Amino acid sequence: MDDQQGRAAPDAASPVPALTTGALARRLGLSPTTLRSWDRRYGIGPARADGRHRRWTPHDVAMLETMCRLTSAGVPPAEAARAAREEGPAEGGEARPGAPGTAQPARDTPDGTAAARTRSGGVLPLGAAVRTECRGLARAAVRLDAPAVEEQLATAVAEYGVVNAWQEVMMPTLHAVGRKWASSGDRYVEVEHLLSWHVSTTLRRHTRPAAAVGGPPAPGPVILACVPGEQHTLPLEALHAALSELRVPARMFGAAVPAEALVAAVRRLGPAAVVLWAQARSTASPPLARHIGDMRWGVKGARAHPLVVLGGPGWAGRPAPGLLRPTTLTEALDLLSSGSR
């Protein structure tokens, strides 16, 4: 029986376990604050007995999925909530298949990979074995729900750390959005831009301030730079944040650093390592990488030179004698942290 606000009482006989607010938020790609707000304002939420925490039943989840679908299509929240309550799930607590406005936030593709459904009926392919957080993050991104995207990212970093959050949550979702954008023209460019902005913001928030110089002489910092013409900085931002967690000094120069400026920075800083990022083969420049690796400084007889690390798919298949090319963030961190101490 529904209470006076139209809420469904928990179904004690349901074989599907009820979800906590946090678990449901991750599943739907919403923030817990949004769920509580919808519950308070529109009666889209579970009944609570004896002051216990909310537990969301399949009936509640079905209504929320419908509301997510409608709000993503531009229906005002109050109207979407009324339609979700009136439509309700089919017998047994499951949403009626094919019902108008029924949300389908995720499904499996024919090859068994997970996907998050977009507002236009397409899907974001997420791969075969992704974390639940990827699905929630993708759903929030395609809804352009900035608060939920930000909260999902912050939670991922808090729970898994920068390295695992980047490799297992941020990067798979970014790749899925990029693939959808590439296959659909510019239809999903707004999703990619929103998600990239919030990933960048989250990484910078979790980059510790540079440590003050002091104590015995130490190797120079790690220089992080995109090669000339390269605009993709997110992988370098993830590396920068991860290096800061390890207290490895680094200098971030960002996108499309001119060759002359990069050479000047190497001369001035005497870095322990230089990381050159190239996303595309068209921007990767082996001559520039070799020139950086051949640079020397210091007194005669004890001259130093930087470790040159090539990052990004743009370097794939290119001969790079004397240059290093780690394939994962973890591998790069191991290499740079050992070479900077």
Side-chain angles (χ1 to χ4, degrees):
M1 178 181 295
D2 293 348
D3 66 15
Q4 60 184 0
Q5 285 190 295
R7 305 181 187 184
D11 181 3
S14 173
V16 182
L19 298 174
T20 64
T21 297
L24 181 58
R26 289 189 292 271
R27 172 173 168 174
L28 297 178
L30 295 168
S31 69
T33 301
T34 298
L35 287 178
R36 297 185 186 102
S37 174
W38 285 359
D39 181 14
R40 183 177 62 255
R41 294 182 181 182
Y42 311 119
I44 299 292
R48 270 193 302 182
D50 303 327
R52 291 178 296 180
H53 292 296
R54 292 176 174 86
R55 288 294 184 270
W56 303 77
T57 68
H59 178 100
D60 303 319
V61 173
M63 286 198 299
L64 279 167
E65 288 176 340
T66 299
M67 184 161 178
C68 286
R69 178 66 172 174
L70 294 174
T71 55
S72 294
V75 178
E79 183 179 339
R82 182 168 58 254
R85 287 197 307 270
E86 291 174 354
E87 181 177 296
E91 185 177 354
E94 299 296 332
R96 295 195 302 271
T102 299
Q104 294 177 317
R107 68 173 178 86
D108 287 337
T109 57
D111 62 357
T113 60
R117 183 165 292 279
T118 69
R119 56 184 284 182
S120 61
V123 295
L124 289 180
L126 288 168
V130 296
R131 288 187 177 273
T132 302
E133 289 85 352
C134 293
R135 298 185 181 93
L137 182 58
R139 293 169 195 150
V142 298
R143 289 199 313 274
L144 304 181
D145 187 343
V149 168
E150 188 168 321
E151 186 158 350
Q152 294 270 337
L153 291 169
T155 300
V157 173
E159 291 187 2
Y160 305 122
V162 167
V163 175
N164 287 335
W166 168 256
Q167 294 184 149
E168 300 179 20
V169 179
M170 299 177 187
M171 192 165 59
T173 311
L174 285 164
H175 284 174
V177 172
R179 288 192 297 269
K180 191 64 178 179
W181 179 12
S183 65
S184 306
D186 289 336
R187 288 174 55 202
Y188 296 91
V189 64
E190 73 281 5
V191 177
E192 194 273 344
H193 278 240
L194 180 92
L195 181 58
S196 296
W197 171 260
H198 284 285
V199 167
S200 177
T201 300
T202 300
L203 291 171
R204 294 189 190 194
R205 283 177 178 166
H206 289 84
T207 301
R208 294 178 176 179
V213 177
V222 175
I223 285 180
L224 307 172
C226 289
V227 296
E230 182 57 67
Q231 299 293 332
H232 293 79
T233 63
L234 286 180
L236 282 186
E237 292 177 40
L239 179 56
H240 191 204
L243 286 171
S244 77
E245 284 190 332
L246 297 176
R247 296 298 186 184
V248 175
R251 300 291 184 272
M252 175 64 156
F253 286 87
V257 182
E260 299 81 0
L262 182 57
V263 169
V266 171
R267 286 191 180 128
R268 291 177 62 183
L269 291 171
V274 178
V275 180
L276 300 175
W277 184 268
Q279 185 75 17
R281 293 176 64 89
S282 59
T283 60
S285 173
L288 175 61
R290 286 194 294 268
H291 179 69
I292 297 295
D294 290 339
M295 293 180 68
R296 298 290 189 273
W297 55 82
V299 297
K300 188 175 181 179
R303 294 172 68 80
H305 66 94
L307 183 71
V308 177
V309 178
L310 307 179
W315 301 104
R318 292 181 177 271
L323 307 178
L324 301 173
R325 187 174 177 270
T327 57
T328 66
L329 178 57
T330 301
E331 187 180 342
L333 280 176
D334 290 343
L335 184 64
L336 293 170
S337 59
S338 61
S340 302
R341 292 173 180 170

